[in-house]
Amino acid sequence: MATVADVRDEPGQPPALTSLSLAEAAQKATPKEQVITPFDVSGGFDEQGKPKAIDYDKLVDTFGSQRIDKPLLERFEKVTGHKPHRMLRRGLVFSHRDLDHILNKYENGVPFFLYTGRGPSSDSMHVGHTIPFEFTKYLQDVFDVPLVIMLTDDEKFFHTPKLSLKDVYKFTIQNAMDIIAVGFDMKKTFIFADTSFVDGGFASAFNTNVREMGKRTTINQIRGTFGFNESNNIAEFNFPAMQSATAFATSFPFIFGTDPKKVAKIPCLIPCAIDQDPYFRQCRDNAPRMGFLKPAIIHSVFLPSLRGSESKMSASDADSSIFLSDTDNQIKKKVGKAFSGGQDTVELHREIGGRTAVDVPFQYLTFFMEDDEELERIREAYEKGKMHSGEMKMACTRELQAYVSGFRERRKAVTEEVRKEFMRPRQLIFKGMPGEKERQDAREKRIKALEEELQQLRKED
């Protein structure tokens, strides 16, 4: 009977994770289940203490969402008249809550809006961060709908002891410019940072929804959903109400109008990575009690770390990530060190082929290469041993260099003036937007309120 020591070490694994070193600690190792929350992403560990890949099928069962299957993709294409995005075609956007309801609404001419976001934790985003945004841009183009992007600078400040408000503000500005460079339509997109928006003069309705959601959310709900305990600060317990409020159109009367009964009927679709689902599960639980529709959600998988599919790419680990600010040479070096699914020797690789299921460069190609036929050709050649690991890494390097280079060019065009306009509370232009009379009435009401505030300030002089 084979022992652990008889098992061939997997190529590309760091020394601390090889079979031999794990054998020494096998008696101490205990299996650990995968953990997927907004704050912690891990595929868990097996009986030998070896990290496991994230099990997305298990996540669907655990979270209670639904798989995006072939009939739903066919319906999507029929209703929209567009070929599904490569991430949909390849199962990288894989799970949903009520996407079928959104398609029904769209087919019947009922307007809806998109909502996604980013927690600014570094001054440069990595390519994994662009996945939900690129897909969101596709949805905005296909459905021709307004989009609200929430930058949760407050949440990063609350949850990360080492970050100051000054730090997260700096990250927020840079991240906003990165997001704009993805290519969103300014006329249909509003980006806001929690701290500046909430403290400004346009957040009255938003704050009302935060309070209404907060009143209906219990401490036990937050503990059960996020795993919080007595060591978490009180701001962290309150934040989910903030993230939930953005899912309601009534939070943005300057976009959707001032008739609360009418606006409350506007549905919301949230494209996000699967680790954000806990926020919106509790939002969906409480929305009907507030008289609102449950937001629909569509989930993407994580772009794996360069180290392997056991964890996602992380901004806090520069060696695990391809940043949008990386040079072509940095990308080449990082991909060259990525976890490989190739065999130990060229001879063995030619004999039994490579393992695309664990090969990080191939996984990256599934995210970024548009051509389905070329991707399939590469997969088949690698698995049959006709393409070696060096060639796979070269193909991945070219694709990522082109992707990041295109981003860099678009980023140059994003000036401070452009950023400010994206982040200015204003009327967006879209089908079903408020009529001219309603917009004029709202403007006059706003002007009157500002004039009254100005008069009060003058009296205080």
Coordinates of all heavy atoms in Angstrom, one line a residue, residues 141-193:
D141 N -24.1 47.5 -21.2 CA -24.1 47.7 -22.7 C -25.3 46.9 -23.3 O -26.0 47.4 -24.2 CB -22.8 47.3 -23.4 CG -21.7 48.2 -23.0 OD1 -21.9 49.3 -22.5 OD2 -20.5 47.8 -23.2
V142 N -25.5 45.7 -22.8 CA -26.5 44.8 -23.4 C -27.9 45.3 -23.0 O -28.8 45.3 -23.8 CB -26.3 43.4 -22.9 CG1 -27.5 42.5 -23.1 CG2 -25.1 42.7 -23.6
F143 N -28.1 45.6 -21.7 CA -29.4 46.0 -21.3 C -29.7 47.5 -21.4 O -30.9 48.0 -21.3 CB -29.6 45.6 -19.8 CG -29.8 44.1 -19.6 CD1 -28.7 43.4 -19.0 CD2 -30.9 43.4 -20.0 CE1 -28.8 42.0 -18.8 CE2 -31.0 42.1 -19.8 CZ -30.0 41.4 -19.2
D144 N -28.7 48.3 -21.6 CA -28.8 49.8 -21.7 C -29.5 50.4 -20.5 O -30.5 51.0 -20.6 CB -29.6 50.1 -23.0 CG -29.5 51.6 -23.3 OD1 -28.5 52.3 -22.8 OD2 -30.4 52.1 -24.0
V145 N -28.9 50.1 -19.3 CA -29.5 50.5 -18.0 C -28.6 51.3 -17.2 O -27.3 51.3 -17.4 CB -30.0 49.3 -17.2 CG1 -31.2 48.6 -17.9 CG2 -28.8 48.3 -17.0
P146 N -29.1 52.1 -16.2 CA -28.2 52.8 -15.3 C -27.5 51.9 -14.4 O -27.9 50.8 -14.0 CB -29.2 53.8 -14.6 CG -30.5 53.1 -14.6 CD -30.5 52.3 -15.9
L147 N -26.3 52.4 -13.9 CA -25.5 51.7 -13.0 C -25.0 52.5 -11.8 O -24.6 53.7 -12.0 CB -24.2 51.2 -13.8 CG -23.0 50.7 -13.0 CD1 -23.3 49.4 -12.2 CD2 -21.8 50.5 -13.9
V148 N -25.1 52.0 -10.6 CA -24.5 52.6 -9.4 C -23.4 51.8 -8.9 O -23.5 50.6 -8.7 CB -25.6 52.8 -8.4 CG1 -25.0 53.3 -7.1 CG2 -26.8 53.7 -8.8
I149 N -22.2 52.5 -8.7 CA -21.0 51.8 -8.2 C -20.7 52.4 -6.8 O -20.5 53.6 -6.7 CB -19.8 51.9 -9.1 CG1 -20.2 51.3 -10.5 CG2 -18.6 51.3 -8.5 CD1 -19.1 51.5 -11.5
M150 N -20.7 51.5 -5.8 CA -20.4 51.9 -4.4 C -19.0 51.6 -4.0 O -18.5 50.4 -4.1 CB -21.4 51.2 -3.5 CG -21.3 51.5 -2.0 SD -22.4 50.4 -1.1 CE -22.6 51.4 0.4
L151 N -18.2 52.6 -3.6 CA -16.9 52.4 -3.1 C -16.9 52.4 -1.6 O -17.2 53.5 -1.0 CB -15.9 53.5 -3.6 CG -15.8 53.5 -5.2 CD1 -14.9 54.6 -5.6 CD2 -15.2 52.2 -5.7
T152 N -16.7 51.3 -1.0 CA -17.0 51.1 0.5 C -15.7 51.5 1.3 O -15.1 50.6 2.0 CB -17.5 49.7 0.8 OG1 -16.5 48.8 0.3 CG2 -18.8 49.4 0.1
D153 N -15.3 52.7 1.2 CA -14.1 53.2 1.9 C -14.3 53.1 3.4 O -13.4 52.8 4.2 CB -13.7 54.6 1.5 CG -14.8 55.6 1.6 OD1 -16.0 55.2 1.7 OD2 -14.5 56.8 1.5
D154 N -15.5 53.3 3.9 CA -15.8 53.2 5.3 C -15.6 51.8 5.8 O -15.0 51.6 6.9 CB -17.2 53.7 5.6 CG -18.3 53.1 4.8 OD1 -18.0 52.4 3.8 OD2 -19.5 53.3 5.1
E155 N -16.1 50.8 5.0 CA -16.0 49.4 5.5 C -14.5 49.0 5.6 O -14.1 48.3 6.5 CB -16.7 48.5 4.5 CG -16.7 47.0 4.9 CD -15.9 46.2 3.9 OE1 -15.2 46.8 3.1 OE2 -15.9 45.0 4.1
K156 N -13.7 49.4 4.6 CA -12.3 49.1 4.7 C -11.6 49.7 5.9 O -10.8 49.2 6.6 CB -11.6 49.5 3.4 CG -11.9 48.6 2.2 CD -11.5 47.2 2.5 CE -11.9 46.3 1.4 NZ -11.6 44.8 1.7
F157 N -12.0 51.0 6.2 CA -11.5 51.6 7.4 C -11.9 50.9 8.7 O -11.1 50.7 9.6 CB -12.0 53.1 7.4 CG -11.7 53.8 8.7 CD1 -10.4 54.1 9.1 CD2 -12.7 54.2 9.5 CE1 -10.1 54.8 10.2 CE2 -12.4 54.9 10.7 CZ -11.1 55.2 11.1
F158 N -13.2 50.5 8.8 CA -13.7 49.8 10.0 C -13.0 48.5 10.2 O -12.7 48.2 11.3 CB -15.2 49.6 9.8 CG -16.1 50.8 9.7 CD1 -17.3 50.7 9.0 CD2 -15.7 52.0 10.2 CE1 -18.1 51.8 8.8 CE2 -16.5 53.1 10.1 CZ -17.7 53.0 9.4
H159 N -12.8 47.8 9.1 CA -12.4 46.4 9.2 C -10.8 46.2 9.2 O -10.4 45.1 9.6 CB -13.0 45.5 8.1 CG -12.9 44.1 8.3 ND1 -13.6 43.4 9.2 CD2 -12.1 43.1 7.7 CE1 -13.3 42.1 9.2 NE2 -12.4 41.9 8.3
T160 N -10.1 47.2 8.8 CA -8.6 47.0 8.7 C -7.9 48.0 9.7 O -7.8 49.2 9.4 CB -8.2 47.3 7.3 OG1 -9.0 46.6 6.3 CG2 -6.7 46.9 7.1
P161 N -7.5 47.5 10.8 CA -6.9 48.3 11.8 C -5.8 49.2 11.3 O -5.6 50.4 11.8 CB -6.4 47.3 12.9 CG -7.2 46.1 12.7 CD -7.5 46.1 11.2
K162 N -5.0 48.8 10.4 CA -3.8 49.5 10.0 C -4.1 50.7 9.0 O -3.3 51.5 8.8 CB -2.8 48.6 9.3 CG -3.2 48.0 8.0 CD -2.1 47.2 7.4 CE -2.6 46.6 6.0 NZ -1.5 45.8 5.4
L163 N -5.3 50.7 8.5 CA -5.7 51.8 7.5 C -6.3 53.0 8.2 O -7.2 52.8 9.1 CB -6.7 51.2 6.5 CG -6.1 50.2 5.5 CD1 -7.2 49.8 4.5 CD2 -5.0 50.8 4.7
S164 N -5.9 54.1 7.8 CA -6.5 55.4 8.3 C -7.5 55.9 7.3 O -7.5 55.4 6.2 CB -5.4 56.4 8.5 OG -4.8 56.8 7.2
L165 N -8.3 56.9 7.7 CA -9.3 57.5 6.8 C -8.5 58.1 5.6 O -9.0 58.1 4.5 CB -10.1 58.5 7.5 CG -11.3 57.9 8.3 CD1 -12.0 59.0 9.2 CD2 -12.3 57.2 7.4
K166 N -7.4 58.7 5.9 CA -6.6 59.3 4.8 C -6.1 58.3 3.8 O -6.2 58.5 2.6 CB -5.4 60.0 5.5 CG -4.5 60.8 4.5 CD -3.4 61.5 5.1 CE -2.5 62.2 4.1 NZ -1.4 62.9 4.8
D167 N -5.7 57.1 4.3 CA -5.3 56.0 3.4 C -6.4 55.6 2.5 O -6.3 55.5 1.3 CB -4.9 54.8 4.2 CG -3.6 55.0 5.0 OD1 -2.7 55.8 4.5 OD2 -3.4 54.4 6.1
V168 N -7.6 55.3 3.1 CA -8.7 54.8 2.3 C -9.2 55.8 1.3 O -9.7 55.5 0.2 CB -9.8 54.2 3.1 CG1 -9.4 52.9 3.9 CG2 -10.4 55.2 4.1
Y169 N -9.1 57.1 1.7 CA -9.6 58.1 0.8 C -8.7 58.2 -0.5 O -9.1 58.3 -1.6 CB -9.6 59.5 1.4 CG -9.9 60.6 0.5 CD1 -11.3 60.9 0.1 CD2 -8.9 61.5 -0.1 CE1 -11.6 61.9 -0.8 CE2 -9.3 62.5 -0.9 CZ -10.6 62.7 -1.3 OH -10.9 63.7 -2.2
K170 N -7.3 58.0 -0.2 CA -6.4 58.0 -1.3 C -6.6 56.8 -2.2 O -6.7 56.9 -3.5 CB -5.0 58.0 -0.8 CG -3.9 57.9 -1.9 CD -2.5 57.8 -1.3 CE -2.3 56.4 -0.7 NZ -0.9 56.2 -0.3
F171 N -6.9 55.6 -1.6 CA -7.2 54.4 -2.4 C -8.5 54.6 -3.2 O -8.6 54.2 -4.4 CB -7.3 53.2 -1.5 CG -6.1 52.9 -0.7 CD1 -6.1 52.1 0.4 CD2 -4.8 53.3 -1.2 CE1 -5.0 51.8 1.1 CE2 -3.6 52.9 -0.5 CZ -3.8 52.2 0.7
T172 N -9.5 55.3 -2.6 CA -10.8 55.4 -3.2 C -10.6 56.2 -4.5 O -11.2 55.9 -5.5 CB -11.7 56.1 -2.3 OG1 -11.9 55.3 -1.1 CG2 -13.1 56.4 -2.9
I173 N -9.9 57.3 -4.5 CA -9.7 58.2 -5.7 C -9.1 57.4 -6.8 O -9.5 57.4 -7.9 CB -8.9 59.4 -5.3 CG1 -9.7 60.3 -4.3 CG2 -8.7 60.2 -6.6 CD1 -11.1 60.7 -4.7
Q174 N -8.0 56.7 -6.5 CA -7.3 55.9 -7.5 C -8.1 54.8 -8.0 O -8.1 54.5 -9.2 CB -5.9 55.4 -6.9 CG -5.0 56.5 -6.5 CD -4.6 57.4 -7.7 OE1 -4.3 56.9 -8.8 NE2 -4.6 58.7 -7.5
N175 N -8.8 54.1 -7.1 CA -9.7 53.0 -7.6 C -10.8 53.4 -8.4 O -11.2 52.8 -9.4 CB -10.2 52.2 -6.4 CG -9.2 51.3 -5.7 OD1 -9.5 50.4 -4.8 ND2 -7.9 51.5 -6.0
A176 N -11.4 54.6 -8.1 CA -12.4 55.1 -8.9 C -12.0 55.4 -10.4 O -12.6 55.1 -11.3 CB -13.0 56.4 -8.3
M177 N -10.7 55.9 -10.5 CA -10.2 56.2 -11.8 C -9.9 54.8 -12.6 O -10.1 54.7 -13.8 CB -8.9 57.0 -11.7 CG -9.3 58.4 -11.1 SD -7.8 59.5 -10.8 CE -7.6 60.2 -12.4
D178 N -9.5 53.8 -11.8 CA -9.2 52.5 -12.4 C -10.6 51.9 -12.9 O -10.6 51.4 -14.0 CB -8.7 51.5 -11.4 CG -7.2 51.8 -11.1 OD1 -6.6 52.5 -11.9 OD2 -6.7 51.2 -10.2
I179 N -11.6 52.1 -12.1 CA -12.9 51.5 -12.5 C -13.5 52.2 -13.7 O -14.0 51.6 -14.7 CB -13.9 51.6 -11.3 CG1 -13.5 50.7 -10.2 CG2 -15.3 51.4 -11.8 CD1 -14.2 50.9 -8.9
I180 N -13.3 53.6 -13.8 CA -13.8 54.3 -14.9 C -13.1 53.8 -16.2 O -13.7 53.8 -17.3 CB -13.5 55.8 -14.7 CG1 -14.4 56.3 -13.6 CG2 -13.7 56.6 -16.0 CD1 -14.1 57.7 -13.1
A181 N -11.8 53.5 -16.1 CA -11.0 53.0 -17.2 C -11.5 51.7 -17.8 O -11.1 51.3 -18.9 CB -9.5 52.9 -16.8
V182 N -12.3 51.0 -17.1 CA -12.9 49.8 -17.6 C -13.8 50.1 -18.8 O -13.9 49.3 -19.8 CB -13.7 49.0 -16.5 CG1 -14.5 47.9 -17.1 CG2 -12.8 48.5 -15.4
G183 N -14.3 51.3 -18.9 CA -15.1 51.8 -20.0 C -16.5 52.1 -19.8 O -17.3 52.0 -20.8
F184 N -17.0 52.4 -18.6 CA -18.4 52.6 -18.4 C -18.9 53.9 -19.0 O -18.1 54.8 -19.3 CB -18.6 52.7 -16.9 CG -18.4 51.4 -16.2 CD1 -17.3 51.2 -15.3 CD2 -19.3 50.3 -16.3 CE1 -17.1 50.0 -14.7 CE2 -19.1 49.1 -15.7 CZ -18.0 48.9 -14.9
D185 N -20.2 53.9 -19.3 CA -20.8 55.1 -20.0 C -21.1 56.1 -18.9 O -21.9 55.9 -18.0 CB -22.1 54.6 -20.6 CG -22.8 55.7 -21.4 OD1 -22.5 56.9 -21.2 OD2 -23.7 55.3 -22.3
M186 N -20.5 57.3 -19.0 CA -20.7 58.3 -18.0 C -22.1 58.7 -17.8 O -22.6 59.0 -16.7 CB -19.8 59.5 -18.3 CG -19.9 60.6 -17.3 SD -19.0 62.1 -17.8 CE -17.3 61.7 -17.7
K187 N -22.8 58.8 -18.9 CA -24.2 59.3 -18.9 C -25.1 58.3 -18.1 O -26.2 58.7 -17.7 CB -24.8 59.4 -20.3 CG -24.1 60.5 -21.1 CD -24.6 60.7 -22.5 CE -23.9 61.8 -23.3 NZ -24.5 61.8 -24.7
K188 N -24.7 57.1 -18.0 CA -25.5 56.1 -17.3 C -24.9 55.5 -16.0 O -25.4 54.6 -15.4 CB -25.8 54.9 -18.3 CG -26.6 55.2 -19.5 CD -26.8 54.0 -20.4 CE -27.7 54.2 -21.5 NZ -27.1 55.2 -22.5
T189 N -23.8 56.1 -15.5 CA -23.1 55.6 -14.4 C -22.8 56.6 -13.3 O -22.3 57.7 -13.6 CB -21.7 55.0 -14.9 OG1 -21.9 54.1 -15.9 CG2 -21.0 54.3 -13.7
F190 N -23.2 56.3 -12.1 CA -22.9 57.1 -10.9 C -22.0 56.3 -10.0 O -22.3 55.2 -9.6 CB -24.2 57.5 -10.2 CG -24.0 58.2 -8.9 CD1 -23.1 59.3 -8.8 CD2 -24.6 57.7 -7.7 CE1 -22.9 60.0 -7.6 CE2 -24.4 58.4 -6.5 CZ -23.5 59.5 -6.4
I191 N -20.8 56.9 -9.6 CA -19.9 56.2 -8.7 C -19.9 57.1 -7.4 O -19.8 58.3 -7.5 CB -18.5 56.2 -9.3 CG1 -18.5 55.4 -10.6 CG2 -17.5 55.5 -8.3 CD1 -17.2 55.3 -11.3
F192 N -20.0 56.5 -6.3 CA -19.9 57.2 -5.1 C -19.0 56.5 -4.0 O -19.0 55.3 -4.0 CB -21.2 57.6 -4.5 CG -22.0 56.5 -3.9 CD1 -22.0 56.3 -2.5 CD2 -22.8 55.6 -4.6 CE1 -22.7 55.2 -1.9 CE2 -23.5 54.5 -4.0 CZ -23.4 54.4 -2.7
A193 N -18.4 57.3 -3.2 CA -17.6 56.8 -2.0 C -18.5 57.0 -0.8 O -19.1 58.1 -0.6 CB -16.3 57.5 -1.8

